[in-house]
Amino acid sequence: MRYEVITFDCYGTLIDWEAGIAEAFRTAAQAGGVALDRQAVLAAYAHIEPAIQARGYLPYREVLARTAAEVGARLGWKVPAERMGFLAESLPNWPPFSDTNRALQALAAQGYTLGILSNVDDDLLAGTLEHLRVRFDLLITAQQVRSYKPAEGHFVEAGRRLAGRRWLHVAQSLFHDVAPATARGIPVVWVNRKGEPRGALRPTAEVRDLGELVEWLERAPPGGPRVAATR
């Protein structure tokens, strides 16, 4: 095989986090008699969460609480103090994409070592893993490295643990994953589920979903590059 290890971003790549976020906001706001526009929620969230993460490390539960408050304020909904945790409470129920488990099972059956590099706390990821029907041998979270992608912490730690094995990263987010991976010379496949432009970035490959990833790997020639462990 061209690669020995395949790591995934989790939320947005394996898990439909937009559906999870939108439903969590809809339910919480509706309980307070407020109706929120789905696209406005997602647009505000995409802008606010990375800005909060960039201010310095906080546990992801706190990031979610602050993001919820700021998104709500931007959209005219004051989130009650006792409801600040609604996003973290909902996260373990966010659903996988329809192609996720089928693709993961195919890759596991082909002998790949699978891993996840995720911007969450360990316990939140543990809840999500209940939805994924394969074993992951490498799990690296923001809680472990005390930083959030696109910072280098996840990639440095993965390189250290993998110690030169042939490694491919797979992700949906250009900002959080594709850009930092390419900057470090890590082969990366962009899962472009929305048909977005990639700009100047040049990932190793671009696929529309994880089914296409499996097909691409079946065609890939053997003997891919080894990624040196990083400090």
Side-chain angles (χ1 to χ4, degrees), residues 77-117:
W77 172 45
K78 181 175 174 55
V79 182
E82 67 275 12
R83 294 292 293 122
M84 288 291 187
F86 75 86
L87 276 175
E89 293 166 7
S90 73
L91 188 148
N93 297 318
W94 295 358
F97 289 104
S98 61
D99 55 288
T100 292
N101 276 307
R102 184 168 59 252
L104 290 175
Q105 289 172 317
L107 295 174
Q110 291 169 22
Y112 291 102
T113 297
L114 303 180
I116 288 177
L117 312 184

Coordinates of all heavy atoms in Angstrom, one line a residue, residues 77-117:
W77 N -30.1 36.5 20.1 CA -30.6 35.6 21.1 C -29.6 35.6 22.3 O -28.5 35.2 22.1 CB -30.8 34.2 20.5 CG -31.1 33.1 21.6 CD1 -32.0 33.2 22.6 CD2 -30.5 31.8 21.7 NE1 -32.0 32.0 23.3 CE2 -31.1 31.2 22.8 CE3 -29.5 31.1 20.9 CZ2 -30.7 29.9 23.2 CZ3 -29.2 29.9 21.3 CH2 -29.8 29.2 22.4
K78 N -30.1 36.0 23.5 CA -29.2 35.9 24.6 C -29.3 34.5 25.2 O -30.4 34.1 25.7 CB -29.6 36.9 25.7 CG -28.8 36.9 26.9 CD -29.1 38.0 27.9 CE -28.4 38.0 29.2 NZ -26.9 37.9 29.0
V79 N -28.2 33.7 25.2 CA -28.3 32.4 25.7 C -28.3 32.4 27.2 O -27.5 33.0 27.8 CB -27.0 31.6 25.2 CG1 -27.1 30.1 25.7 CG2 -26.9 31.6 23.7
P80 N -29.3 31.8 27.8 CA -29.4 31.7 29.3 C -28.1 31.1 29.9 O -27.6 30.1 29.3 CB -30.6 30.9 29.5 CG -31.4 31.0 28.3 CD -30.4 31.0 27.2
A81 N -27.7 31.6 31.0 CA -26.5 31.1 31.6 C -26.6 29.6 31.9 O -25.6 28.8 31.7 CB -26.2 31.8 32.9
E82 N -27.7 29.1 32.3 CA -27.9 27.7 32.6 C -27.9 26.8 31.4 O -27.9 25.6 31.5 CB -29.2 27.5 33.4 CG -30.5 27.7 32.7 CD -30.9 29.2 32.7 OE1 -30.1 30.1 33.1 OE2 -32.1 29.5 32.4
R83 N -28.0 27.4 30.2 CA -28.0 26.7 28.9 C -26.7 26.8 28.1 O -26.7 26.3 27.0 CB -29.2 27.1 28.0 CG -30.6 26.8 28.6 CD -30.9 25.3 28.7 NE -31.0 24.8 27.4 CZ -30.3 23.8 26.9 NH1 -29.3 23.2 27.6 NH2 -30.5 23.3 25.7
M84 N -25.7 27.4 28.7 CA -24.5 27.6 27.9 C -23.8 26.3 27.4 O -23.1 26.2 26.5 CB -23.4 28.3 28.8 CG -23.8 29.8 29.0 SD -23.6 30.7 27.5 CE -23.8 32.4 28.1
G85 N -24.1 25.2 28.1 CA -23.5 23.9 27.7 C -24.2 23.1 26.7 O -23.9 21.9 26.5
F86 N -25.2 23.7 26.0 CA -26.1 22.9 25.1 C -25.3 22.3 23.9 O -25.6 21.2 23.5 CB -27.3 23.7 24.7 CG -27.0 24.7 23.6 CD1 -27.0 24.4 22.2 CD2 -26.8 26.1 24.0 CE1 -26.8 25.4 21.3 CE2 -26.6 27.0 23.0 CZ -26.5 26.7 21.6
L87 N -24.3 23.0 23.4 CA -23.5 22.4 22.3 C -22.7 21.2 22.7 O -22.7 20.2 22.0 CB -22.6 23.5 21.7 CG -23.2 24.5 20.7 CD1 -22.1 25.5 20.3 CD2 -23.7 23.8 19.5
A88 N -22.0 21.3 23.9 CA -21.2 20.2 24.3 C -22.2 19.0 24.7 O -21.8 17.8 24.4 CB -20.4 20.6 25.6
E89 N -23.3 19.3 25.2 CA -24.3 18.2 25.5 C -24.8 17.5 24.3 O -25.0 16.3 24.3 CB -25.5 18.8 26.3 CG -25.1 19.3 27.7 CD -26.2 20.1 28.3 OE1 -27.3 20.2 27.7 OE2 -26.0 20.7 29.4
S90 N -24.9 18.2 23.2 CA -25.4 17.7 21.9 C -24.3 17.0 21.1 O -24.7 16.1 20.3 CB -26.0 18.8 21.1 OG -25.0 19.6 20.5
L91 N -23.1 17.3 21.3 CA -22.0 16.8 20.4 C -21.9 15.3 20.3 O -21.8 14.8 19.1 CB -20.7 17.4 20.9 CG -19.5 17.2 19.9 CD1 -18.5 18.3 20.0 CD2 -18.8 15.9 20.3
P92 N -22.1 14.5 21.3 CA -22.0 13.1 21.1 C -23.1 12.5 20.3 O -23.0 11.4 19.8 CB -22.1 12.5 22.6 CG -21.6 13.7 23.4 CD -22.1 14.9 22.8
N93 N -24.1 13.3 20.0 CA -25.2 12.8 19.1 C -25.1 13.3 17.7 O -26.0 13.0 16.9 CB -26.6 13.3 19.7 CG -26.8 12.7 21.1 OD1 -26.6 11.5 21.3 ND2 -27.3 13.5 22.0
W94 N -24.1 14.1 17.4 CA -23.9 14.6 16.0 C -23.7 13.4 15.1 O -22.9 12.5 15.4 CB -22.8 15.6 15.9 CG -23.0 16.8 16.7 CD1 -24.1 17.2 17.4 CD2 -22.1 17.9 16.8 NE1 -23.9 18.4 18.0 CE2 -22.7 18.9 17.6 CE3 -20.8 18.1 16.3 CZ2 -22.0 20.1 18.0 CZ3 -20.1 19.3 16.7 CH2 -20.8 20.3 17.5
P95 N -24.4 13.3 14.0 CA -24.4 12.1 13.2 C -23.2 11.9 12.2 O -22.7 13.0 11.7 CB -25.7 12.2 12.4 CG -25.8 13.7 12.2 CD -25.3 14.3 13.4
P96 N -22.8 10.7 11.9 CA -21.8 10.5 10.9 C -22.4 10.8 9.5 O -23.6 10.7 9.3 CB -21.4 9.0 11.0 CG -22.0 8.6 12.2 CD -23.1 9.5 12.6
F97 N -21.6 11.2 8.5 CA -22.1 11.3 7.1 C -22.4 9.9 6.7 O -21.9 8.9 7.2 CB -21.0 11.8 6.2 CG -20.7 13.3 6.4 CD1 -19.6 13.7 7.1 CD2 -21.6 14.2 5.9 CE1 -19.4 15.1 7.3 CE2 -21.4 15.6 6.1 CZ -20.3 16.0 6.8
S98 N -23.3 9.8 5.7 CA -23.8 8.5 5.3 C -22.7 7.6 4.7 O -22.8 6.4 4.7 CB -24.9 8.7 4.2 OG -24.4 9.4 3.1
D99 N -21.6 8.2 4.2 CA -20.5 7.4 3.6 C -19.4 7.0 4.6 O -18.5 6.3 4.3 CB -19.9 8.2 2.4 CG -19.4 9.6 2.9 OD1 -20.3 10.4 3.1 OD2 -18.2 9.8 3.0
T100 N -19.5 7.6 5.8 CA -18.4 7.4 6.8 C -18.1 6.0 7.1 O -17.0 5.5 7.0 CB -18.7 8.3 8.0 OG1 -18.6 9.7 7.7 CG2 -17.6 8.0 9.1
N101 N -19.0 5.3 7.7 CA -18.7 4.0 8.3 C -18.4 3.0 7.2 O -17.5 2.1 7.3 CB -19.9 3.5 9.1 CG -19.8 4.0 10.5 OD1 -18.8 3.9 11.2 ND2 -20.9 4.6 11.0
R102 N -19.1 3.1 6.0 CA -18.8 2.1 4.9 C -17.3 2.3 4.5 O -16.6 1.3 4.2 CB -19.8 2.4 3.8 CG -19.6 1.4 2.6 CD -20.8 1.6 1.7 NE -20.9 2.9 1.1 CZ -21.9 3.8 1.5 NH1 -22.8 3.4 2.4 NH2 -22.0 5.0 0.9
A103 N -16.9 3.6 4.3 CA -15.5 3.8 3.9 C -14.5 3.4 5.0 O -13.5 2.8 4.6 CB -15.4 5.3 3.6
L104 N -14.8 3.7 6.2 CA -13.8 3.3 7.3 C -13.7 1.8 7.4 O -12.6 1.3 7.5 CB -14.3 3.9 8.6 CG -14.2 5.4 8.8 CD1 -14.9 5.8 10.2 CD2 -12.8 5.9 8.8
Q105 N -14.8 1.1 7.2 CA -14.7 -0.3 7.3 C -14.0 -0.9 6.1 O -13.2 -1.9 6.3 CB -16.2 -0.9 7.4 CG -16.8 -0.7 8.7 CD -18.3 -1.0 8.7 OE1 -19.0 -0.8 7.7 NE2 -18.8 -1.7 9.7
A106 N -14.1 -0.3 5.0 CA -13.3 -0.8 3.8 C -11.9 -0.5 4.0 O -11.0 -1.4 3.7 CB -13.8 0.0 2.5
L107 N -11.5 0.6 4.5 CA -10.1 0.9 4.8 C -9.5 0.0 5.8 O -8.3 -0.5 5.7 CB -9.9 2.4 5.1 CG -10.3 3.4 4.1 CD1 -10.2 4.8 4.6 CD2 -9.4 3.2 2.8
A108 N -10.2 -0.2 6.9 CA -9.8 -1.2 8.0 C -9.6 -2.6 7.4 O -8.6 -3.2 7.7 CB -10.8 -1.2 9.1
A109 N -10.5 -3.0 6.6 CA -10.4 -4.3 6.0 C -9.2 -4.5 5.1 O -8.6 -5.6 4.9 CB -11.7 -4.7 5.2
Q110 N -8.8 -3.4 4.5 CA -7.6 -3.4 3.6 C -6.3 -3.3 4.4 O -5.2 -3.4 3.8 CB -7.7 -2.2 2.6 CG -8.8 -2.4 1.6 CD -9.1 -1.2 0.8 OE1 -8.2 -0.3 0.6 NE2 -10.3 -1.1 0.2
G111 N -6.4 -3.1 5.7 CA -5.2 -3.2 6.5 C -4.6 -1.9 6.9 O -3.5 -1.8 7.5
Y112 N -5.2 -0.8 6.6 CA -4.7 0.5 7.1 C -4.9 0.7 8.6 O -5.9 0.3 9.2 CB -5.5 1.7 6.4 CG -5.2 1.8 4.9 CD1 -6.1 1.3 4.0 CD2 -4.0 2.4 4.4 CE1 -5.9 1.4 2.6 CE2 -3.8 2.5 3.0 CZ -4.8 2.0 2.2 OH -4.5 2.1 0.8
T113 N -3.9 1.3 9.2 CA -4.0 1.8 10.6 C -4.8 3.1 10.5 O -4.4 4.0 9.7 CB -2.6 2.0 11.2 OG1 -2.0 0.8 11.3 CG2 -2.8 2.6 12.6
L114 N -5.8 3.3 11.3 CA -6.6 4.5 11.3 C -6.5 5.4 12.5 O -6.2 4.8 13.6 CB -8.1 4.1 11.1 CG -8.4 3.2 9.9 CD1 -9.9 2.9 9.9 CD2 -8.0 3.9 8.6
G115 N -6.6 6.7 12.3 CA -6.4 7.6 13.4 C -7.3 8.8 13.3 O -7.9 9.1 12.2
I116 N -7.4 9.6 14.3 CA -8.2 10.8 14.3 C -7.4 11.9 15.0 O -6.8 11.7 16.0 CB -9.5 10.7 15.1 CG1 -10.5 9.8 14.3 CG2 -10.2 12.0 15.4 CD1 -11.8 9.5 15.0
L117 N -7.3 13.1 14.3 CA -6.7 14.3 14.9 C -7.9 15.3 15.0 O -8.4 15.8 14.0 CB -5.7 14.9 14.0 CG -4.6 13.9 13.4 CD1 -3.6 14.7 12.6 CD2 -3.9 13.1 14.5

